Amino acid sequence: MSGEARKKLRSQMHDFRRRPEDLKPEQVQALEDLFEKVPSLGTIYHLRWEATKIFDTAPNRAEASRLLEDWIVQARETEMDWEPFITMLKNNWEGILAYFEERKSSGPVEGLNTKIRVVLRRSYGIQSLTTLWTRILLDVNWAAKKLGPTIAEIRGFVNQIQKYFSECYT
């Protein structure tokens, strides 16, 4: 593949990751041309966005379960090996369907955990636990803009942890 062709393919991969409704008509056409050359890529693209649509629109757990089962059948009808993904989906079926009850995910908690890990990496050499807690609270407080009202709950939890551990060390 020439350098120019490689550059064009790389730019199409950015479009490949974007939602179809966010693409301009010429981007859609370029992707369709790519899918004619590499049909399996088109299959992956369309099945991915069908699965995303289920998570965006399914009104409840039962409907989501039915739609996901239909999606699995559709994926198995392709000539591609979706079994590792389907196995993971089935192994986590109840947890995945739990999302449709309240439309909440563990994303904010995972983001907070990541932020704490970053603070810990940046805080090498801090000798005081109080300083470390302060640094974490400062960074988490900045994250309050994204997390909203749950930040008060997080602060309360952090205070409970700090209180518990303050009794464990001397």
Side-chain angles (χ1 to χ4, degrees):
M1 201 181 253
S2 70
E4 184 62 33
R6 208 174 305 127
K7 186 177 179 181
K8 183 178 177 185
L9 178 63
R10 219 178 5 254
S11 72
Q12 286 180 316
M13 289 295 95
H14 292 289
D15 295 339
F16 183 82
R17 294 179 189 103
R18 294 174 61 201
R19 289 181 175 266
E21 59 269 14
D22 294 341
L23 296 174
K24 296 176 183 169
E26 60 270 12
Q27 292 169 317
V28 171
Q29 186 57 50
L31 280 177
E32 290 303 325
D33 293 344
L34 176 65
F35 299 156
E36 284 180 24
K37 295 175 188 167
V38 188
S40 60
L41 204 54
T43 302
I44 293 167
Y45 180 81
H46 294 296
L47 281 172
R48 173 204 178 178
W49 289 113
E50 286 178 34
T52 300
K53 184 177 176 184
I54 293 169
F55 281 87
D56 289 346
T57 62
N60 56 47
R61 183 184 184 111
E63 182 68 9
S65 178
R66 186 188 65 75
L67 290 170
L68 286 170
E69 289 287 356
D70 292 347
W71 184 92
I72 289 170
V73 168
Q74 193 177 4
R76 283 182 171 147
E77 288 174 352
T78 68
E79 295 179 8
M80 301 176 73
D81 182 19
W82 289 93
E83 286 311 310
F85 179 78
I86 292 169
T87 300
M88 181 277 306
L89 195 63
K90 289 293 190 176
N91 288 343
N92 297 287
W93 194 250
E94 288 304 312
I96 291 168
L97 291 180
Y99 166 78
F100 295 96
E101 292 173 4
E102 293 187 34
R103 299 258 181 221
K104 292 183 181 176
S105 75
S106 61
V109 173
E110 296 300 330
L112 180 62
N113 288 342
T114 301
K115 177 147 299 281
I116 290 172
R117 282 188 205 100
V118 168
V119 169
L120 289 172
R121 271 187 246 119
R122 284 190 343 225
S123 300
Y124 182 77
I126 289 180
Q127 296 178 6
S128 166
L129 186 59
T130 303
T131 304
L132 179 60
W133 282 117
T134 302
R135 183 71 248 170
I136 290 171
L137 285 174
L138 284 171
D139 279 22
V140 168
N141 193 33
W142 178 83
K145 295 174 187 169
K146 298 205 184 277
L147 294 175
T150 61
I151 196 69
E153 296 169 9
I154 293 169
R155 280 192 186 132
F157 183 64
V158 167
N159 288 335
Q160 289 174 353
I161 292 172
Q162 186 177 14
K163 182 180 176 186
Y164 176 77
F165 282 107
S166 68
E167 297 168 1
C168 296
Y169 65 89
T170 57

